[in-house]
Amino acid sequence: MAKTVEWDVRLYLFEEDGTTTARVVLNTGSNSLTGHGKARCNPEDRDVPEIGDEIAAGRAMRDLAGQLLRVADDDLEGIGAGPPVRERRVAYGWTSAMA
């Protein structure tokens, strides 16, 4: 049986003094989640607001995606199915073990 569901997503962008803040709100009808992101223009770089919008929005959506996956993991656990094995993340840059 095919099923179609529509979720509303709203993205809000605010810019002030070289800083762009993004808020993305997902409404599933039974739940609402909000992701946040921020981008700051380096004072040495040319100010291109569209780039700040893209970075802040991307970070807000990434935050929202993480929240949504955590909700799904909790729901799976609630019905007796364990969450999927999480991938191990590799640290970038110098770690205290390398120092």
Side-chain angles (χ1 to χ4, degrees):
M1 176 197 281
K3 177 182 173 184
T4 302
V5 177
E6 183 175 324
W7 290 354
D8 293 322
V9 178
R10 296 210 180 259
L11 176 64
Y12 304 92
L13 295 164
F14 311 93
E15 186 177 337
E16 186 176 342
D17 299 327
T19 299
T20 303
T21 303
R23 185 178 78 221
V24 61
V25 180
L26 169 67
N27 185 344
T28 68
S30 60
N31 196 6
S32 181
L33 298 171
T34 302
H36 300 276
K38 189 173 279 197
R40 291 179 190 87
C41 183
N42 183 328
E44 297 176 9
D45 291 341
R46 187 166 55 104
D47 188 10
V48 182
E50 294 82 10
I51 295 173
D53 291 350
E54 293 164 351
I55 293 171
R59 288 175 177 166
M61 287 189 268
R62 183 173 50 200
D63 180 40
L64 177 65
Q67 292 178 47
L68 191 56
L69 288 169
R70 284 189 293 279
V71 167
D73 284 348
D74 291 345
D75 289 347
L76 282 169
E77 193 172 316
I79 63 168
V85 177
R86 298 193 187 278
E87 66 183 63
R88 183 169 168 84
R89 298 207 173 233
V90 177
Y92 291 96
W94 296 102
T95 64
S96 57
M98 295 179 183

